[in-house]
Amino acid sequence: MRQHVNPLSRNFNEIERVPFLIEMFGDPKLKLHLDIGCASGEFLFDLALVNTSWNYLGIEIREKLVKTAKLKVREGEIKNLYFVFGNAHNILNDVNSQFIIKNLKSISFNFPDPWFKKRHHKRRVIQPEFINILSNSLQKGALIFVKTDVKDLFDYMDWTISSNFNFKTIDKKDFNFIGSFNPNQLKTNREKYVIDNQLNIFERIYIKI
Ligand SMILES: C[S@@+](CC[C@H](N)C(=O)[O-])C[C@H]1O[C@@H](n2cnc3c(N)ncnc32)[C@H](O)[C@@H]1O
């Protein structure tokens, strides 16, 4: 399977209709977390099974992974987990999906594709326009979690989010994970790999003010 998908490809211009919260989850009133670039969704399965007072939504651009994840949700009759296929920008930019952003308590970007070459930077998932969309519709107090093992990408993402005056950084040591979408600080697959290989992790938490 191809590992890197060009998110700017025209294949992703058409997006699937994002169902209403009531169609996605057993209890649509639970707190909602969104993981962007969730790959096969294993991290979200781990979270959803343990934290039953949260709903988890994953967006992933590799269709096959989303199909398999959706099947697993159905087979496991998991009511607090849902996956959407497509380019997160196009999905969240759509007027019909604004309700998702408005209902979010938090979003995570875990180890997004780095797109090292400068001419490919526009393929990176965090872009100023995308952060503007989030900043316009997120509720005050909503959180963005960013993690990567690529310092250059971290600096780029940090600069992009910090340049938006609606977001402020929270120091990780002052952050109480217990009330968050990830109280047990579970790790994604990439994070486990990075830890096993003793690579650096660069991370930051932002709050909408
Ligand atoms: C390096 S993987 C990290 C996967 C997972 N978050 C982890 O930490 O193990 C990045 C994932 O983001 C997905 N992705 C990249 N750009 C995306 C976009 N614009 N919208 C949705 N998913 C995207 C990729 O297909 C890939 O599965």
Side-chain angles (χ1 to χ4, degrees):
M1 185 187 301
R2 278 183 66 200
Q3 288 303 310
H4 288 286
V5 171
N6 175 4
L8 303 181
S9 151
R10 267 188 276 159
N11 297 341
F12 302 113
N13 285 353
E14 269 189 34
I15 52 171
E16 68 175 66
R17 181 186 79 85
V18 178
F20 295 116
L21 294 176
I22 185 89
E23 299 169 82
M24 289 196 255
F25 303 113
D27 179 355
K29 293 203 181 68
L30 299 184
K31 290 169 283 183
L32 180 61
H33 177 79
L34 168 64
D35 189 45
I36 292 183
C38 61
S40 57
E42 281 171 49
F43 176 57
L44 292 180
F45 278 97
D46 291 347
L47 287 166
L49 292 177
V50 182
N51 308 305
T52 49
S53 61
W54 281 81
N55 284 328
Y56 295 94
L57 175 61
I59 300 182
E60 168 55 49
I61 202 163
R62 285 184 283 166
E63 189 169 20
K64 203 168 169 195
L65 297 184
V66 175
K67 279 192 175 150
T68 310
K70 281 186 173 205
L71 197 65
K72 250 173 87 181
V73 168
R74 266 205 302 282
E75 284 171 359
E77 297 182 16
I78 305 169
K79 302 288 181 210
N80 62 334
L81 179 57
Y82 196 88
F83 293 95
V84 173
F85 154 68
N87 177 351
H89 289 194
N90 299 350
I91 291 167
L92 297 175
N93 200 10
D94 187 74
V95 279
N96 298 319
S97 329
Q98 291 311 300
F99 71 93
I100 294 182
I101 308 181
K102 290 193 165 77
N103 278 286
L104 289 173
K105 290 276 178 257
S106 48
I107 308 180
S108 48
F109 294 89
N110 289 308
F111 302 87
D113 293 333
W115 293 110
F116 287 107
K117 290 183 187 147
K118 196 158 175 64
R119 68 190 157 90
H120 287 157
H121 282 186
K122 54 185 182 301
R123 296 182 184 180
R124 288 177 168 176
V125 69
I126 290 190
Q127 297 289 337
E129 316 81 64
F130 187 48
I131 294 302
N132 275 341
I133 295 168
L134 298 181
S135 124
N136 289 337
S137 297
L138 281 173
Q139 316 160 30
K140 277 188 187 165
L143 300 167
I144 299 182
F145 295 79
V146 167
K147 268 187 204 183
T148 177
D149 50 311
V150 180
K151 177 74 167 73
D152 168 64
L153 175 63
F154 176 77
D155 290 341
Y156 174 87
M157 296 193 290
D158 185 45
W159 177 82
T160 306
I161 302 176
S162 302
S163 302
N164 185 306
F165 295 125
N166 287 321
F167 293 107
K168 202 179 83 183
T169 305
I170 302 183
D171 208 320
K172 194 182 167 195
K173 67 177 176 354
D174 300 329
F175 186 74
N176 180 10
F177 279 90
I178 298 298
S180 78
F181 78 100
N182 188 3
N184 304 315
Q185 299 193 55
L186 301 179
K187 314 283 184 228
T188 72
N189 282 350
R190 177 69 196 175
E191 188 165 10
K192 289 175 194 163
Y193 170 88
V194 165
I195 292 169
D196 288 348
N197 288 279
Q198 301 183 346
L199 303 173
N200 287 322
I201 296 179
F202 306 95
E203 59 184 307
R204 194 146 281 171
I205 305 168
Y206 307 85
I207 185 164
K208 164 88 188 280
I209 49 174

